[in-house]
Amino acid sequence: TTTTTTATTTTTTTATTTTTTTATATATAAATAITTTKTTTTEGTRTAMPTTSAMIATVVTTRAATTTTAVPTTTTTTTAEQISCMLFGDPHVVSFDNSRRLRELGATEHPELWTQVIPTYREWNTFMGAGDFWVVRSEAISIQGRYAELGWISGLAVGGSFLNGHKFVVGSSDENGTTWDGFAMSWDGNGVLESFPSDFVVDDLIWVRYVPDRFYQNSISEFHQERNHWRSNTSLRLLEIVLPLGVRISVALGTNVGSSSTRFMDVFITMPFQASGQDGHCGRATGDFSLDWQGSAVATGENLLSGTMPALLSTKASRFSASSIACVEGGELEDNRGPCESVLAATQFGLLFVDACVQDVCSGGQGVLERYDAFAMRAFHEYAAEAQGKQRCFFPIEPQGVGYYWDPICTGGRGVSLGCTADGVHHECRLCGGNGTYAVIGCPGTRRALEPHSSGSVGQRSREIMSVALVS
């Protein structure tokens, strides 16, 4: 909240001018009679001086007095809190309220404390049901998710009055095969983003970029250096969605994970706190930390994810109630703890998600480890990288025209160099943003704004941007 106070000054001036004019007897004789008074005394007779109101004329000019009064004028501008939510895995949810805790952790000046608080913070909400559910439900913003039978997120829909009744949907279906063709995006039921990479824009309503996920690309290069490995030629794809009211959604799309060829989505949502309230699986952002799992099931008449899946398929309590459960690729649940800890240790921040990783690797196979490496890097980027950069980078003079942050990808032989070692001391200190060389590196917390365009139809605008993206 920014409050600006200005003083309005009212000035009134008062001055009094008195002019006295003595008129001569000859000038006023014709109009005024002179009165003479004789006084008899012992000394003789004395004639009094003539007096007349006409002989002395007094002219008085009056103006208002000078007064200065300061009247305070206060202008108050209130910016809504930006709240965040993450849905990942089978699925696990970091609600709006828990995301606040992550930001507090990410901003600490002592990151070594992360490992000390992990036992308290890493029990993220886990839902074992399947069906269509409200992710965010508010007066203006509607976001719904579809959870598959095994729990993985397989669909996402965005609609509501802030999109003027329009709807954007991304879904996964085996009807189109088990590769990238199994993902489909649509706007009001019409297919969009059918090539890769590409962009889709509707002026003042939506901007979607369908691009490679740099975090996952880095993970693949680290895990599988050999060129012939099946994962070395596969990239996790990313949808970056910019919407009105400052709503921003990133959807990481993955396919062919593990031996079961599972497709999945990880969803990152940032939006302004809604004064009229919000609920759903992302929570209420009111500090109560409780989620209404079953109460968030989507009613038939409100379902944005049209299709064959019922609104509620099952409500299993837990698939991982015992540590001796058999995993899809053999072994037991706890066998995956060591590999998960190794993968997530790069930022230390990632260790907050060890328990979720253990569960998901058991149910999805070892390929999920690569996904969690990428996920942990993105979580660090969203919640801690900017604050850690401000605390740990050392610049004699603050960089101008660009941002910077702390990026663990810059170390460890991960094949990244642009913008790294920005302060000349720390490899992890990385430049980003601006209008020059580093514009291709997105700064943490960047909020692209929707801007009006002069183009004609939506289709023309979409094709123009797609062609640019493909050439670049």
Side-chain angles (χ1 to χ4, degrees), residues 105-414:
L105 283 178
T108 180
E109 296 181 4
H110 303 284
E112 65 273 9
L113 296 178
W114 292 340
T115 57
Q116 298 179 29
V117 301
I118 282 172
T120 302
Y121 279 72
R122 69 184 182 189
E123 295 295 335
W124 307 116
N125 302 103
T126 301
F127 183 59
M128 298 301 177
D132 294 348
F133 297 89
W134 285 100
V135 175
V136 176
R137 174 172 51 189
S138 73
E139 187 176 286
I141 302 167
S142 298
I143 304 175
Q144 296 174 2
R146 172 167 292 173
Y147 308 157
E149 185 66 36
L150 293 178
W152 306 96
I153 302 171
S154 62
L156 190 77
V158 185
S161 60
F162 86 128
L163 288 182
N164 294 338
H166 296 284
K167 178 177 67 174
F168 178 80
V169 176
V170 52
S172 169
S173 172
D174 289 338
E175 295 178 1
N176 296 325
T178 58
T179 61
W180 288 114
D181 293 334
F183 287 106
M185 283 67 77
S186 67
W187 175 256
D188 291 341
N190 300 310
V192 296
L193 300 164
E194 295 176 339
S195 60
F196 179 81
S198 60
D199 283 35
F200 173 73
V201 174
V202 178
D203 291 352
D204 303 320
L205 286 179
I206 186 171
W207 177 14
V208 186
R209 299 177 65 236
Y210 187 27
V211 294
D213 187 308
R214 71 180 183 92
F215 296 104
Y216 195 69
Q217 285 290 95
N218 171 78
S219 175
I220 296 306
S221 65
E222 181 180 17
F223 271 82
H224 301 298
Q225 299 293 337
E226 64 272 24
R227 298 180 59 185
N228 294 328
H229 192 281
W230 65 279
R231 295 300 288 168
S232 64
N233 297 319
T234 303
S235 62
L236 188 76
R237 296 180 178 182
L238 185 70
L239 292 172
E240 294 182 335
I241 309 170
V242 183
L243 301 162
L245 303 183
V247 178
R248 182 173 63 96
I249 304 173
S250 296
V251 184
L253 307 175
T255 187
N256 289 338
V257 176
S259 60
S260 58
S261 298
T262 305
R263 281 192 304 275
F264 64 86
M265 301 180 192
D266 291 336
V267 181
F268 300 79
I269 300 171
T270 300
M271 57 179 273
F273 179 87
Q274 300 296 289
S276 58
Q278 54 268 304
D279 61 11
H281 283 180
C282 280
R284 290 178 284 275
T286 55
D288 61 3
F289 294 93
S290 61
L291 301 181
D292 185 3
W293 294 113
Q294 302 305 330
S296 297
V298 178
T300 302
E302 300 175 317
N303 201 322
L304 301 176
L305 288 156
S306 58
T308 58
M309 181 179 287
L312 185 64
L313 293 182
S314 62
T315 55
K316 293 172 289 187
S318 176
R319 295 195 309 274
F320 299 102
S321 58
S323 60
S324 60
I325 189 170
C327 299
V328 295
E329 293 184 351
E332 298 179 351
L333 180 66
E334 285 300 314
D335 294 340
N336 299 298
R337 186 166 298 277
C340 282
E341 289 177 346
S342 177
V343 164
L344 299 175
T347 64
Q348 295 295 311
F349 196 77
L351 293 174
L352 294 165
F353 307 101
V354 167
D355 287 351
C357 176
V358 169
Q359 295 179 12
D360 292 349
V361 172
C362 183
S363 65
Q366 293 298 308
V368 176
L369 282 171
E370 300 156 23
R371 166 278 195 90
Y372 260 92
D373 182 50
F375 170 81
M377 286 294 179
R378 180 170 293 281
F380 178 85
H381 186 80
E382 291 285 336
Y383 292 106
E386 183 177 23
Q388 290 302 306
K390 297 298 183 184
Q391 294 170 13
R392 300 163 75 173
C393 294
F394 176 76
F395 291 100
I397 300 176
E398 190 78 4
Q400 301 297 313
V402 295
Y404 62 92
Y405 65 102
W406 196 261
D407 191 353
I409 291 179
C410 286
T411 61
R414 294 178 177 234

